[in-house]
Amino acid sequence: MIIGDSGVGKSLFTDIFEKLHRLDYPSSKIQTLNCAAFPKDLILAELFGYKKGAFTGAIKDKVGLLKTADGGLVILEEIGELTEPDQAKLLTFLENGGRYYPVGSTKEEQTNVDIISITNQPQNKFRHDFWNRFFQFMARWYYHFSKQ
């Protein structure tokens, strides 16, 4: 989890990490999701996918972001926007070795992804168990101006 105020370079860090990841794993899939860009009631459907009829507007099955990135990397921007119930579901996914149920499904699926998350939210915005599941990296820019 990359943590820092707005404008300190969190996205720059993920861009660099993504480029390095592509060098090490050229055929790896990388998916990015901005958690703030989706209505709160649809974020799980985007992450885990859904089955036809799971909710109004689900007219066909959809594979989720975590499955499309199988074997690769998922970048979750603005993860602090997840509700506590959504944090719990993502935590369950992490603790169960990538096993999950698409929304509206009774069939368990599995995927293998690495996750990088980005937030400007304080620790108290997260469930304690969710926060502790991530390695935290504080993003700060230190400017040094020297007279020459």
Side-chain angles (χ1 to χ4, degrees):
M1 183 179 298
I2 303 167
I3 307 157
D5 294 331
S6 295
V8 297
K10 297 181 302 291
S11 293
L12 177 62
F13 179 86
T14 57
D15 291 346
I16 292 169
F17 188 89
E18 183 178 337
K19 285 177 176 45
L20 293 173
H21 183 84
R22 287 193 191 280
L23 288 174
D24 288 341
Y25 308 100
S27 63
S28 177
K29 301 169 202 131
I30 298 175
Q31 296 288 334
T32 301
L33 177 73
N34 185 328
C35 298
F38 288 89
K40 298 206 183 305
D41 56 343
L42 291 180
I43 195 74
L44 293 180
E46 288 298 316
L47 286 171
F48 298 113
Y50 55 83
K51 295 297 178 187
K52 177 181 176 180
F55 52 85
T56 303
I59 58 174
K60 63 180 182 174
D61 291 356
K62 180 180 177 188
V63 176
L65 182 90
L66 295 169
K67 188 68 168 182
T68 60
D70 191 24
L73 176 67
V74 173
I75 300 170
L76 298 177
E77 296 177 345
E78 304 300 338
I79 198 168
E81 298 301 318
L82 291 180
T83 64
E84 284 197 16
D86 291 350
Q87 290 176 29
K89 292 203 169 105
L90 187 55
L91 178 64
T92 300
F93 166 78
L94 295 170
E95 290 177 343
N96 288 335
R99 294 188 317 270
Y100 66 98
Y101 292 90
V103 176
S105 177
T106 57
K107 182 181 175 211
E108 185 177 68
E109 295 190 19
Q110 183 162 7
T111 188
N112 179 25
V113 294
D114 292 325
I115 296 177
I116 293 178
S117 59
I118 305 169
T119 188
N120 62 2
Q121 299 293 330
Q123 182 176 353
N124 65 0
K125 174 75 171 161
F126 296 92
R127 291 172 49 106
H128 178 72
D129 52 354
F130 185 79
W131 178 265
N132 289 328
R133 190 66 171 96
F134 287 89
F135 170 78
Q136 286 87 36
F137 176 84
M138 302 300 282
R140 293 188 180 115
W141 284 109
Y142 293 97
Y143 296 98
H144 176 72
F145 298 97
S146 62
K147 296 179 182 180
Q148 296 186 19

